[in-house]
Amino acid sequence: VSAEPAARRSKRTTSLQHRELELRRDIAEAYFNATSPIEVYRLALARVTPLIAASFSSVFLRDAAEPDLLRMVCAHSWPQASARFLGQLRIRVGRGPTGRAVAEGKPIEVRDVFADVSLRDWWEPARELGFASLIALPLQAGNGRIGALSFYYERAHEFSDDERNLLSVIAQQLSITAGRANETERLEIANRELRAQVETLTTQVGESEEMQRLKTEFLSNISHELRTPLTSILGYSYLLLDGQHGGLNPPQALALRKIEDSANVLLQLINDLLMLTELKLGRSEVVVIPEDAVLIARRAAEKAQPSAQVRFSMEAADVRVPIQTDVEKVLCILENLLSNAFKFTKQGEVVLSVRRLGFGEQQRIEWTVRDTGIGIPHSELPTIFDEFRQVDGSSTRLYGGTGLGLSLCLHLTRALGGEILVDSEEGRGSVFTLRLPATYPGASRFTF
Ligand code: ADP
């Protein structure tokens, strides 16, 4: 064996290898820049066809509606005369070299169509299109064969191993690219759908928030409007009961007292509703003053109504527990918690305790209201702070109330940058815990 042919062979191989590498790089680049797989096929055909000295080429893919048929999706240098038929061209999977490449999953080579009588059916189209030889390579994506890549020669052509290798590498890379591009396309479609859904949802949330705001605004306005006539009902009841319009007989006085009591209940409800709506609309001002948390607890307890069967006691680890917060709001929370504790406890005790937690900037103050009352079922605990929520209908009849107290407590606590927790056991009692930062964290306004 002389040295010269070997050197020539190695030179040719090197240059093909080089071109193969270049091609692979270009296809990979096309994949990254392409917006659809067709663009990548088009580039591959345009680059590979001249490289292997083929006359023209095409990519056939399975038809989405009829997967047994292959449809041409792109072509390179396809003969002008038949170019207008391209869109209608269909090849059945398994038929002809291209159909067989898809069916069998391997390259199909035809050196000379006219030399093979089994391809007699293809003689006429081959003559019309002007090819005598072709090679078809299957395109694989995922687990399935999605189509084929076909290169055509005007004259009979003997395929070299170098050509075969190059084409199989290209077909492989195109398959991967097609698979990824399909995936990318699917993801992009899914992404677009998701984005549209997010937009719709955002609009809906916005609308719903706006409706909530309008509802709260309406409640706030109506509460204001209700307060005025109620004030006159209470005012005139007082004047009558005071005898300022003459004496009353006992039934009249009793009836008037009932009117006054009911009007007071209504006023409380309206005031609670007003406070709640103002908090929800972010219109409630936080007025911060330095105070003693033990003193706040004592002031809240003054309003409590203990009975003979229910003992009340206070516990505080320190004599003084300094805090800087909105005292009126804390009082409102504690009074509500104590009022509930007494309302739902027929016997036993109610204990209000105060302590500080942590140090420095992290320091928090904790008040707990513990009772030995009817308790709250575990299933009800997550919803107990919702507006107008009462454990059951009978609780309203038995204990009265509106179901606004705890909701108000929750919104007040949030306005003060704190948290409110509940722990309870049905039939044993409940513990409500209020924790607030020792120093109100918002933009504070001190009033001394
Ligand atoms: P209201 O007391 O006006 O009904 P709240 O919002 O203050 O409204 O309380 C909601 C519900 O939570 C009450 O109706 C009651 O069922 C339950 N609840 C609250 N506090 C207690 C408690 N200390 N013990 C038992 N149940 C309670």
Side-chain angles (χ1 to χ4, degrees):
V1 181
S2 77
E4 212 197 328
R8 229 187 296 140
R9 213 171 34 240
S10 104
K11 202 170 156 201
R12 202 186 59 207
T13 312
T14 320
S15 100
L16 247 172
Q17 270 176 354
H18 176 72
R19 277 189 273 177
E20 181 190 308
L21 273 176
E22 266 185 353
L23 249 176
R24 290 176 66 170
R25 182 201 60 200
D26 291 351
I27 292 175
E29 209 171 272
Y31 161 68
F32 283 115
N33 298 324
T35 49
S36 87
I38 305 289
E39 276 181 42
V40 187
Y41 299 141
R42 203 167 284 138
L43 172 114
L45 292 186
R47 295 291 305 274
V48 181
T49 314
L51 196 66
I52 57 165
S55 306
F56 54 96
S57 53
S58 61
V59 171
F60 282 88
L61 292 184
R62 283 185 196 270
D63 193 285
E66 255 183 289
D68 228 23
L69 289 182
L70 301 172
R71 191 168 54 85
M72 186 185 279
V73 294
C74 78
H76 178 77
S77 290
W78 196 267
Q80 275 305 309
S82 51
R84 60 203 170 98
F85 300 120
L86 294 190
Q88 285 119 50
L89 207 64
R90 297 282 185 278
I91 293 176
R92 190 163 289 282
V93 172
R95 291 222 42 226
T98 302
R100 275 182 54 209
V102 179
E104 295 168 30
K106 61 176 193 203
I108 304 291
E109 278 175 25
V110 179
R111 201 190 66 81
D112 185 354
V113 178
F114 303 105
D116 188 343
V117 280
S118 71
L119 291 173
R120 210 184 297 115
D121 288 354
W122 296 84
W123 287 356
E124 202 186 317
R127 206 170 288 121
E128 262 181 40
L129 287 168
F131 73 87
S133 168
L134 83 152
I135 181 165
L137 304 116
L139 290 174
Q140 190 109 16
N143 292 329
R145 286 189 285 274
I146 58 164
L149 187 63
S150 303
F151 295 91
Y152 306 82
Y153 291 82
E154 260 173 55
R155 275 177 267 281
H157 182 84
E158 195 72 61
F159 292 91
S160 69
D161 281 347
D162 284 342
E163 281 172 336
R164 284 192 192 102
N165 286 342
L166 172 72
L167 287 175
S168 82
V169 167
I170 297 305
Q172 249 176 39
Q173 190 173 5
L174 228 46
S175 295
I176 297 169
T177 308
R180 273 199 234 142
N182 279 343
E183 205 51 50
T184 311
E185 209 170 46
R186 259 203 299 278
L187 279 175
E188 266 170 14
I189 292 171
N191 241 344
R192 266 201 298 278
E193 279 170 10
L194 271 177
R195 223 172 285 137
Q197 277 177 14
V198 167
E199 251 168 54
T200 318
L201 283 173
T202 310
T203 319
Q204 283 175 355
V205 167
E207 283 169 1
S208 146
E209 272 172 2
E210 178 60 10
M211 272 170 62
Q212 286 287 342
R213 202 189 58 74
L214 285 174
K215 192 189 88 183
T216 312
E217 193 88 48
F218 168 76
L219 273 175
S220 168
N221 290 341
I222 204 110
S223 308
H224 263 298
E225 296 306 316
L226 285 173
R227 245 194 339 193
T228 320
L230 204 54
T231 318
S232 32
I233 293 174
L234 278 166
Y236 282 108
S237 304
Y238 174 78
L239 291 179
L240 286 170
L241 278 169
D242 204 38
Q244 296 199 21
H245 293 289
L248 298 172
N249 64 32
Q252 284 172 334
L254 187 71
L256 254 182
R257 230 165 257 122
K258 281 191 175 162
I259 291 175
E260 196 186 32
D261 286 350
S262 298
N264 270 321
V265 169
L266 209 53
L267 187 64
Q268 184 60 46
L269 169 63
I270 290 168
N271 282 342
D272 283 357
L273 206 55
L274 204 56
M275 201 192 293
L276 188 62
T277 50
E278 294 296 292
L279 279 163
K280 285 168 87 173
L281 290 168
R283 290 192 199 140
S284 181
E285 204 183 6
V286 177
V287 181
V288 180
I289 54 168
E291 190 46 287
D292 171 19
V294 183
L295 199 72
I296 298 176
R298 231 175 256 137
R299 278 179 59 194
E302 277 166 19
K303 288 218 179 139
Q305 294 164 332
S307 65
Q309 288 79 33
V310 184
R311 283 187 314 281
F312 174 70
S313 58
M314 262 191 60
E315 290 171 356
D318 302 286
V319 185
R320 268 180 59 78
V321 178
I323 185 169
Q324 290 183 351
T325 192
D326 187 326
V327 175
E328 290 309 314
K329 287 190 171 51
V330 182
L331 275 172
C332 186
I333 301 168
L334 292 179
E335 282 167 13
N336 261 297
L337 295 181
L338 282 170
S339 143
N340 275 348
F342 284 108
K343 187 162 74 176
F344 295 105
T345 306
K346 286 293 151 262
Q347 57 185 23
E349 60 171 350
V350 172
V351 182
L352 170 60
S353 50
V354 194
R355 63 173 178 151
R356 63 180 116 207
L357 301 170
F359 300 94
E361 293 205 340
Q362 300 301 317
Q363 194 177 80
R364 286 176 302 164
I365 310 301
E366 182 186 271
W367 292 266
T368 51
V369 177
R370 188 157 29 88
D371 67 53
T372 54
I374 60 170
I376 302 158
H378 269 257
S379 59
E380 298 284 341
L381 289 178
T383 52
I384 197 156
F385 290 95
D386 294 351
E387 284 154 53
F388 300 110
R389 188 75 183 203
Q390 295 176 312
V391 167
D392 61 41
S394 65
S395 120
T396 327
R397 287 195 297 276
L398 266 176
Y399 302 99
T402 58
L404 277 183
L406 286 182
S407 177
L408 196 56
C409 289
L410 178 69
H411 283 91
L412 285 166
T413 307
R414 281 188 186 154
L416 298 179
E419 58 180 350
I420 187 161
L421 312 163
V422 58
D423 190 16
S424 184
E425 207 176 314
E426 221 179 337
R428 302 290 297 266
S430 314
V431 184
F432 283 85
T433 306
L434 167 68
R435 277 189 206 135
L436 295 181
T439 304
Y440 173 68
S444 36
R445 219 166 62 76
F446 285 96
T447 311
F448 290 100

